[in-house]
Amino acid sequence: MRYWFRSSRSNRYTRSTDDKNPLYHFQRRLWAAAGGMLLAFLILFANFFHLQYLSYQKYQTQAENNRIAIVPVVPPRGTISDRNGVILAHNFSTFTLEITPEQVPNLDETLRALSEVIDISPRDLRRFRRAMEESRNYISLPLRTRLSDEEVARFAVHKYRFPGVDIEARLYRQYPYTTVASHALGYIGRINERDVEKLKANDEFTNYRGTDHIGKLGVEAAYESILHGTTGWEQVEVDALGRRVRSLSLTPPFAGSSIELTLDIELQKLAEQAMGDHNGAIVAIEPATGEILALVSMPGFDPSLFLEGIDSVNWGILNNSRDKPLLNRALRGAYPPGSTIKPFLALAALQSGKRKPTDAINDPGYWDLNAQNRFRDSKKGGHGWTDMPKSIIESCDTYYYILANETDIDSTAAFLAPFGFGQKTNIDIDGEVKGVLPSRKWKAERYARYGKDVYTWWPGDSISAGIGQGYNAFTPLQLAQATATLAMDGKVYRPHLLKRIISNVTGEPQEVQPELVRQIPLNPRNLEVIKSAMTNVPKHGTSWRAFAKAEYSSAGKTGTAQVFSLKGEKYEAAKLDKYLHDHGLYIAWAPAENPKIALAILVENGGFGASAAAPIARTLLDYYLLKKYPEKKPEKDEKAKAVVTDQKRTE
Amino acid sequence: MDPTVLYEIWNKFTRHIDGKLMAIVLLLMGIGCITVFSALSPDTARFVQQLKNIAVALVVMWLVANVPPQKIASMAIPLYLIGIGLLLAVAMFGITVNGSQRWLQFQGVRFQPSELLKLAVPLMLAWYFQHHEGRITTINFIVAIILILIPVALIRKQPDLGTALLVTVSGFFVLYLARLPWKVIIASIVGGVTVVMLFAKPYQLQRLWSFINSIFDPAAVDMAGAGYHTQQAKIAIGSGGLFGKGWLHGTQTHLDFLPEHHTDFIIAAFSEEFGLLGIGLLLLLFMLLLARAIVIAYNANTMFERLLAGSIALMLFTYTFVNMAMVSGLMPVIGVPLPFLSYGGTALVTTAICIGVLMSIQTHRTLMGH
């Protein structure tokens, strides 16, 4: 070392000790400086030692965290098909134009400039804005879906102008039957804050990293956990800008399982077409299993509108329409059953011993409860001598006025409840309502705050309820289940839409077993009376016209439910607003002796059940039992009624 | 050709090259090349540019080494005046980049005159003290301080706080070596800190504050804020461990987490790839360089040479220390390149001139006699 401090070309290594010599002071200052430098370098080295040796683990971990990103690999969603394997919902791959708003310096300007490169409709913009309001931060949102190859190429040329805008290949949900069965299928939509909270509460949020969509309604929502699958994970080396450099390891995702529904999409389509321009609902059930063959609520809607978040204009149209296309009438619409309740009330009378089948009354066409209250029969002049079978076949009101007057409403309610009237059926999709099975207790609770006069059960209440009017309000699903129960001699099956799950791993189908909820104890002889009467309804009863020349036997009952109380005036359809017209109903099963299908049909404001609803039943039974299509195809348009939305461009 | 002739030519060529200094400088430049290559990869074009910069620097060094110290002394006043003139020109016609008016543009070439002052100020002061050798009084120190403050004020106005500080320090080193009383030194350090606190811009104080915070509570520093660069540099250094991740294998460097990894922060890239072992060797090399510079100052003949060589040694030390300390989180980040290692022509040439001056002082000593 000493060598370095010596001058190479001189041995004049002088060190002045003379205090007066300026050189002495210079040298002292130089030594002090050298000492300071040495100290500084020691500090530097100590710091490097601290960083690289003592804190090595900590910084090593941080460097790895910098370098390695865990990227979710989203599983493809399971498909949905009908009972015959016809695809109802599947995925297709498409190029989408996506924007990450946080990365865009000037969003309005970018959107304007983008529209010069790629065709962007006002609807796309509206949808995008809505998605932006609902989205999580730092997420890329689709602006346009289904780009053509040409559009992809055109954007690629201009890409440098648009930071934060990218083209992505994504899987999209497609519903090939568009509006058909929309209420049963439901739809998927972008995950919003509420969904996130729900997922977090169920500890499923991790599995949804990277997933944009979630089932929002219907089957898509109910079987979300089966359809979604398990997210895979990829370890990726990334640079400081988050760009992927290379893949380090991959845990592959498990695709969502596919499901097959109990629906028969042909029957469903036929049912929707048969409804024509009417609003309403149809529920068809396989009585021996509870499998739902058709679940119609008209009008329907196009589920694909909701995929990327519905835009405000279409939302307004759907939400404000008087036809309420977003209301699933089959589950959420509670209607008076009208005369379709009569077979159940007759059975109640037989079971309680209040009536024998042969007990008859004379019907003059009305019945007076008291001096002020006259109840009219729907047939002018009355049915004359009427026993129980005739009361069902011809739908005699007076017979049931008198029966209701002699029967306590609470015992009627107790008899009807096990059939599912006014009870949740526990169908496997969300949203069904209970409806109202009136009883003293119900009325007291419902009207408690209006005072005794209002909440007391008056005899007149029983009379109205006795012909399926008054406070009675049941969903078409409840009516269909009750009909199936009657057809099955009191066996109540839980109605369901899921038929089988086809495992994503093994491909093995897993069948859903019928679930017998209860067996209502019913006397077979009583049942025989009711069922034979109902079998005569389409033969020579109220629905004979609709079922003329039917090649099978069926059991049925017509019903007409008043929407608007006329206070004794005569009902004249022409004079009333369409929305105040009566609802037409029909319940049926067929074949009568060995039921394969049970139906409840409700045609809103359709008028008489015999003319509005029974012909639909005929069409459906013809198809389901004989594979016979209606001869006269429904007029103008193949498509069933759906509320027309502004969907000129994409879907 | 006759071997003795070749030997003569070689001898003439290397007459003013100090062998030991040269060896250290070449080693440091070699390490610089290796590190810059890794930090720039896969961009080889800029690496070739750096090789050219080194070649230019070596030529400049040789040229300066061949200029006798007396000649250098005679350039002190003109260089100083030219420097002041250029600074005034900057203030009047300078180009503004990022809100600072620092550059002069002449026929497409950009030039930052404040760089010149880093050398011109100590040169001027060394000449001034030599001129008054033997009769230095308080007046001389006051004049010297004014000579420092004129360019510093101009640079401060650009604004360029970092360079202003470095120019102040370079002049201050001459004062220190010229035996400025310790009392004054301590008082001026305290005063300097106060002035910086008073006149610094809020964002500069913010940076300083976040730096001070990070020492006491590292979690308090916002990862995206001023602390981010230092944080990433510390991760790069720390994750290098004892032996480093290997040349071209630094993840912080190659995945761009480390900012400025080929310029001011190159020591972090070096530490990441070569570890504590590499840092130890590098620090040793820098210490040898400084030791050699101090020896040259120690043995210099005239007061001018002593003061100049001494202040150059202290300047080289300052650049090295400040750079490493700021990258490894001991000091706030002020843009100071690491001599010999950082990418960039200006810094290399400036350093080469300093080395050239040292060599000139050392090699002209015996030749000139005394």
Side-chain angles (χ1 to χ4, degrees), chain B residues 90 95-96 100-104 111-114 158-161:
Chain B
V90 167
I95 299 170
T96 306
S100 294
Q101 198 172 14
R102 297 179 187 176
W103 287 270
L104 275 184
F111 174 65
Q112 197 175 340
S114 52
Q158 290 178 352
D160 186 352
L161 186 62

Side-chain angles (χ1 to χ4, degrees), chain B residues 45-280:
Chain B
R46 280 202 290 175
F47 175 68
V48 171
Q49 179 59 44
Q50 179 72 349
L51 288 182
K52 286 182 192 162
N53 292 341
I54 286 177
V56 170
L58 287 174
V59 170
V60 169
M61 190 176 85
W62 184 85
L63 287 173
V64 174
N66 280 283
V67 179
Q70 290 85 342
K71 258 264 169 53
I72 296 177
S74 71
M75 287 191 286
I77 296 176
L79 269 179
Y80 181 81
L81 291 177
I82 290 170
I84 299 290
L86 288 173
L87 284 180
L88 288 171
V90 167
M92 284 181 288
F93 336 101
I95 299 170
T96 306
V97 177
N98 293 336
S100 294
Q101 198 172 14
R102 297 179 187 176
W103 287 270
L104 275 184
Q105 191 152 354
F106 183 70
Q107 303 209 330
V109 179
R110 257 190 217 180
F111 174 65
Q112 197 175 340
S114 52
E115 285 293 317
L116 179 69
L117 272 300
K118 287 179 185 171
L119 209 61
V121 165
L123 198 62
M124 179 67 211
L125 293 193
W127 177 88
Y128 178 75
F129 282 113
Q130 155 117 331
H131 193 69
H132 295 276
E133 191 177 8
R135 48 194 161 86
I136 296 170
T137 61
T138 314
I139 300 293
N140 298 115
F141 281 109
I142 291 170
V143 171
I145 288 170
I146 291 168
L147 286 175
I148 298 172
L149 287 182
I150 292 168
V152 165
L154 286 168
I155 297 168
R156 180 69 191 82
K157 262 187 81 96
Q158 290 178 352
D160 186 352
L161 186 62
T163 309
L165 277 175
L166 288 169
V167 171
T168 310
V169 166
S170 69
F172 180 80
F173 286 146
V174 181
L175 298 186
Y176 163 79
L177 293 169
R179 215 186 153 199
L180 183 68
W182 283 108
K183 282 182 287 186
V184 181
I185 293 174
I186 291 164
S188 60
I189 289 175
V190 173
V193 169
T194 317
V195 167
V196 167
M197 291 304 224
L198 285 178
F199 290 97
K201 290 269 159 60
Y203 78 90
Q204 291 163 329
L205 283 180
Q206 177 75 39
R207 254 194 236 177
L208 192 71
W209 183 241
S210 90
F211 167 72
I212 292 167
N213 266 343
S214 75
I215 293 175
F216 297 108
D217 180 13
V221 179
D222 177 13
M223 280 296 277
Y228 178 78
H229 286 185
T230 322
Q231 190 59 35
Q232 292 300 335
K234 281 167 89 171
I235 292 173
I237 296 168
S239 64
L242 280 183
F243 304 106
K245 297 174 185 169
W247 189 48
L248 299 177
H249 285 93
T251 56
Q252 287 283 103
T253 306
H254 291 281
L255 298 173
D256 293 332
F257 289 103
L258 185 62
E260 308 287 337
H261 47 53
H262 59 285
T263 55
D264 290 356
F265 280 67
I266 194 149
I267 190 67
F270 176 85
S271 316
E272 187 183 23
E273 298 194 344
F274 300 104
L276 189 60
L277 193 71
I279 279 291

Side-chain angles (χ1 to χ4, degrees), chain A residues 278 542-543 545-546 558-560 584-586 603 606-616:
Chain A
H278 285 291
T542 46
S543 65
R545 217 182 286 272
T558 55
T560 305
L585 291 102
Y586 195 69
V603 183
F608 293 114
S611 53
I616 297 176

Side-chain angles (χ1 to χ4, degrees), chain A residues 1 3-10 12-16 19 22-23 25-34 36-38 40-41 43-45 47-49 51-53 55-60 62-64 66-67 237-241 243 245, chain B residues 15 17 20 24 176-177 179-182 185 231-232 234-235 237-242 245 251-252 255-257 267 271 275-276 279-280 283 286-288 290-292 294-295 297-299 301 306 313-314 317 320-321 324-325 328 330 362 365-366:
Chain A
M1 258 334 253
Y3 176 74
W4 285 96
F5 294 95
R6 290 173 61 103
S7 162
S8 57
R9 302 207 176 176
S10 165
R12 215 171 45 90
Y13 184 68
T14 48
R15 177 164 183 183
S16 177
D19 193 31
L23 204 57
H25 293 285
F26 173 75
Q27 286 168 348
R28 270 185 40 156
R29 291 262 162 137
L30 210 52
W31 281 120
M37 291 181 193
L38 189 65
F41 271 70
I43 291 172
L44 272 185
F45 188 77
N47 188 41
F48 278 104
F49 182 78
L51 290 173
Q52 298 192 287
Y53 185 72
S55 309
Y56 169 69
Q57 282 303 334
K58 173 183 150 194
Y59 289 117
Q60 166 67 14
Q62 290 186 10
E64 290 295 286
N66 268 347
R67 177 174 83 95
E237 187 173 84
V238 293
D239 68 11
L241 296 176
R243 288 178 303 218
V245 178
Chain B
R15 197 154 52 141
I17 298 295
K20 297 179 184 97
I24 300 165
Y176 163 79
L177 293 169
R179 215 186 153 199
L180 183 68
W182 283 108
I185 293 174
Q231 190 59 35
Q232 292 300 335
K234 281 167 89 171
I235 292 173
I237 296 168
S239 64
L242 280 183
K245 297 174 185 169
T251 56
Q252 287 283 103
L255 298 173
D256 293 332
F257 289 103
I267 190 67
S271 316
L276 189 60
I279 279 291
L283 286 179
F286 272 112
M287 280 162 75
L288 287 176
L290 296 175
R292 185 64 192 157
I294 286 170
V295 166
Y298 199 101
N299 291 327
N301 277 341
R306 279 195 292 276
L314 279 160
F317 160 76
T320 310
F321 177 78
M324 290 200 191
S328 61
L330 290 178
Q362 172 67 6
R365 195 156 51 87
T366 44

Side-chain angles (χ1 to χ4, degrees), chain A residues 110-281:
Chain A
T110 300
L111 288 174
R112 195 197 56 74
L114 262 179
S115 62
E116 288 168 5
V117 180
I118 284 183
D119 188 17
I120 294 162
S121 71
R123 178 169 164 242
D124 293 325
L125 285 174
R126 293 194 304 259
R127 190 163 62 174
F128 176 76
R129 298 241 179 241
R130 193 181 156 106
M132 232 173 83
E133 283 163 21
E134 292 183 348
S135 76
R136 293 174 279 171
N137 285 340
Y138 304 105
I139 201 169
S140 89
L141 299 167
L143 178 61
R144 250 295 303 279
T145 57
R146 303 190 197 196
L147 297 178
S148 67
D149 289 347
E150 194 205 321
E151 282 174 318
V152 172
R154 210 175 327 135
F155 177 76
V157 175
H158 292 274
K159 185 173 183 336
Y160 70 95
R161 287 169 54 197
F162 304 109
V165 184
D166 286 293
I167 286 191
E168 304 273 349
R170 286 195 189 271
L171 284 180
Y172 268 84
R173 200 67 162 165
Q174 193 179 29
Y175 301 97
Y177 282 83
T178 60
T179 62
V180 179
S182 49
H183 288 284
L185 279 174
Y187 50 81
I188 63 172
R190 296 193 75 84
I191 296 177
N192 61 26
E193 296 294 338
R194 259 209 326 272
D195 298 320
V196 169
E197 267 163 41
K198 221 162 84 187
L199 288 170
K200 278 182 177 159
N202 297 336
D203 225 15
E204 289 178 279
F205 188 58
T206 323
N207 197 31
Y208 277 78
R209 289 267 158 81
T211 301
D212 294 330
H213 297 91
I214 193 167
K216 299 270 188 183
L217 193 75
V219 165
E220 290 272 33
Y223 294 106
E224 174 63 30
S225 58
I226 293 170
L227 292 165
H228 179 265
T230 310
T231 299
W233 302 96
E234 188 178 16
Q235 277 200 321
V236 182
E237 187 173 84
V238 293
D239 68 11
L241 296 176
R243 288 178 303 218
R244 100 189 250 130
V245 178
R246 66 197 163 108
S247 171
L248 300 173
S249 76
L250 173 70
T251 310
F254 284 115
S257 292
S258 293
I259 59 177
E260 282 187 20
L261 302 183
T262 57
L263 293 179
D264 179 329
I265 198 65
E266 276 303 306
L267 183 72
Q268 174 88 24
K269 206 166 79 178
L270 217 53
E272 294 189 9
Q273 285 167 356
M275 289 293 284
D277 283 339
H278 285 291
N279 297 341

